[in-house]
Amino acid sequence: MAALEEGFTLSAVPLGAGPNGLLGVEQSDKTDQFLVTDGGRTVILYKVSDQKPLGSWSVKQGQIITCPAVCNFQTGEYIVVHDNKVLRIWSNEDVNLDKVFKATLPAEIYRIHSIQGTEPLVLFKEGAVRGLEALLAEPQQKIETVISDEEVIKWTKIFMVFRHPVLIFITEKHGNYFAYIQMFNSRTLSKYTLLLGQEEKSVIQSFSASVDRKFISLMSLSSDGCIYETLIPIHPSDPEKNQRVVRSLLLKTVVSGNARNGVALTVLDKDHLAVLGPPLPASKECLSIWNTKFQTLQTSKELPQGTSGQLWYYGENLFMLHGKFLTVVPYKCEVSSLAGALGKLKHSQDPGPQTVPHFVNWETSQGYGLGSQNSEQSKRILRRRKIEVSVQPPASKQLLSTIKKDSEKHIEVELCKFLAIKQTPDFHTVIGDIVLELLGRHKAEPSFYPRNSLMQLIQTHVLSYSLCPGLMEVALEKADVQMLQLCLQQFPDIPESVTCACLKIFLSMSDDSLQEAEINMESVSDYSDSVQEEKMEEQTEILHNGFNPEEENCENCDRELNEKPRDAAEETTSCPVIPKRAALLNAILHSAYSEMFLLPHLKDIPAQHVTLFLQYLYFLYLKCSENATMTLPGLHPPTLNQIMDWICLLLDANFTVVVMIPEAKRLLLSLYKFVKSQICICSELNKIEVSFRELQKLSQEKNNRELYSIEVLELF
């Protein structure tokens, strides 16, 4: 399991306004202190635990800082570069950067790397690397060109392997990507070509990496919204040769493929990644943590003010720009386990005897770069990820080929034949691939919408949202309420933003449109009968769990609340929505959610729709109160806890808006009166609790009595 804690603003001053945005966050020689470099003229030293700056330094007007400031861990001094070639070194005691040590170098610097256990290393834009001491001893030494013409460095990182620094930097040229590994103990430089596999047209938007004794695991977030992994050997078999390495798919569609800015990722540990970006095209940016071992979303946090697409982490803190201010979000990642991944789900679903674990494609390596060009590297990838790749059955290959070219009717026939075949262990993987193929063709051909085939696949009970996130996106675009209802019933991992998008459609569609739709009505009993019709003639009133909406149950309740018109009572005793809308809303009530992630999205629902939903929930509560078990009739009706939880959620998110609507006044008064009556009941129960305790004590003393006795207890 992983968790994102409440974040806090580290900088009270807007950052990132310079020409290069926020350049970086680097650790100082104190574990709790960090150097923050703005893209303009300023470097600020912050102490995170105190949430305050300890010092600030600026270059002169007209000068621009061009790479992040770092700390020399061997001397405790700070180093920064301005105007690409001018290097400055200073300490905490210095005030004016114009008066500190200065060195002008012959070539432009891309980045200075500093890490515990070695001197700072300077990476030039042409690919050459120098140690700081050797560079300062001869500042005007010749700097060789390592990379080719038009090749541009995109990303770089440094590691310590066997107490020796290892530097990796990624370059790009005409859409092709290359990785350079600089070993400083052997003075060798190795070059690798990154083979993109089946996603040649995608653009890599962000990199991150981790290292073990033999491999550098390079993670890349591409413009298709997926995360890929490339294993690069630290010790190549032939350093002089330009070798090729392949990418394998690690996580599918963690961010929207339409996102162009505000996207980043960073490796937290061997099993967890932090990702920055919008999960859906229309959604706001989010910070999320993914489990790469079980390929599940562990936690997510919405960022309504947007980000710059930059993410740093040190220790147990994530750093990013939220709006224009530097924000710190503490996080925790436990040791990865299947139980922990499954424990993320708040409510479990019981789809029936055909249930297969509702998780993502465990075999995403298959078909993504594991080609014959580097079979030995492919074997290493498979051993590293411990995935047992099975050959796809010929029947599924034939079906995938059919989907690419044939008509919807023919695809339905072939799909029925395929589903009739005995299921294999990788059945859920194959079904996910089929759904993605159908959605891919729909995206390329908007007129092609294989609705019947998609409905069949959903009913196999093996799909999940994370396995095919584009499915609900298409259903939302088409306002296909039947498909959305089925997804809500089958998928256990639907994001809160998607749940709210479904709720908006269910509340906004007209009654006529809903009457034409085919909707599962199992969760709805006969709501057309009002409570008044069900009352016995000789019974003049019914108390709903001690509460009567027409009378006062607490003598301290305000008299004016009881003097409401008769039609208000009638409104609460008849269902405010048609049965088909009720069935859709019941699917929402059954869906899993996290309150923290759901509340921001509920605020975007129009007030009149919130009022309608509240009226329906209040009606369900009254129906629950008609019997002693406090349950609703029907096959899978909402529970009392679900009803009460959603009433609280809607009021928490929208009370200040709903309270201003005249149409909602009677409903709010009824809810207020109900809560007040429940408080009165609890108060009375507390009063007699003491008497019950005394009775319990007396019953425990029965051994001291005779065979027969009469006792009188007075309850006050």
Side-chain angles (χ1 to χ4, degrees), residues 139-272:
Q140 293 301 315
Q141 62 184 273
K142 183 179 179 181
I143 305 299
E144 71 275 12
T145 298
V146 175
I147 61 179
S148 62
D149 294 338
E150 299 182 15
E151 203 171 340
V152 179
I153 298 178
K154 292 294 185 179
W155 176 85
T156 177
K157 190 174 179 64
I158 190 171
F159 303 98
M160 289 295 288
V161 180
F162 296 114
R163 298 183 181 181
H164 294 286
V166 176
L167 178 69
I168 177 175
F169 60 92
I170 307 297
T171 64
E172 184 269 337
K173 179 180 179 181
H174 303 315
N176 298 313
Y177 293 87
F178 307 92
Y180 292 81
I181 309 296
Q182 176 74 63
M183 298 287 297
F184 290 89
N185 58 340
S186 59
R187 302 291 179 181
T188 58
L189 176 67
S190 305
K191 180 180 179 180
Y192 298 87
T193 300
L194 304 183
L195 299 180
L196 301 186
Q198 297 181 0
E199 68 287 350
E200 293 91 349
K201 295 182 180 180
S202 64
V203 178
I204 301 179
Q205 297 177 304
S206 181
F207 291 95
S208 187
S210 60
V211 68
D212 59 19
R213 292 175 177 267
K214 294 183 179 181
F215 294 96
I216 293 177
S217 176
L218 178 66
M219 310 290 183
S220 56
L221 177 57
S222 295
S223 57
D224 59 1
C226 300
I227 294 178
Y228 299 86
E229 180 184 31
T230 306
L231 294 181
I232 304 175
I234 296 176
H235 304 285
S237 56
D238 187 359
E240 302 298 327
K241 184 179 178 181
N242 182 5
Q243 303 174 74
R244 296 183 176 186
V245 289
V246 295
R247 299 202 308 168
S248 60
L249 181 63
L250 187 64
L251 290 171
K252 285 186 178 180
T253 321
V254 297
V255 297
S256 169
N258 297 327
R260 292 293 178 263
N261 299 310
V263 176
L265 86 157
T266 185
V267 179
L268 302 179
D269 58 33
K270 65 177 183 177
D271 293 326
H272 294 92

Side-chain angles (χ1 to χ4, degrees), residues 586-632:
N586 288 351
I588 294 289
L589 298 182
H590 280 297
S591 62
Y593 65 87
S594 170
E595 181 177 342
M596 180 175 64
F597 302 143
L598 184 63
L599 279 173
H601 299 290
L602 290 177
K603 295 178 181 179
D604 297 333
I605 301 177
Q608 62 270 25
H609 294 160
V610 173
T611 304
L612 178 62
F613 197 15
L614 280 171
Q615 289 172 346
Y616 175 64
L617 292 170
Y618 183 54
F619 164 78
L620 290 182
Y621 174 77
L622 295 181
K623 295 289 287 185
C624 280
S625 305
E626 292 177 22
N627 56 70
T629 59
M630 297 294 289
T631 57
L632 289 169

Side-chain angles (χ1 to χ4, degrees), residues 563-583:
E563 297 176 354
K564 61 181 181 179
R566 185 70 180 176
D567 59 346
E570 293 175 357
E571 288 179 7
T572 60
T573 54
S574 60
C575 187
V577 298
I578 63 174
K580 287 195 173 183
R581 195 186 304 276

Side-chain angles (χ1 to χ4, degrees), residues 24 58 85 100 122 277 295 397 425 454 475 479 507 513 534 569 582 598 614 682:
S58 298
K85 293 184 178 181
V100 302
V122 180
Q295 301 185 8
K397 287 186 177 180
L454 292 173
L507 291 170
S513 299
E534 297 172 359
L598 184 63
L614 280 171
C682 291

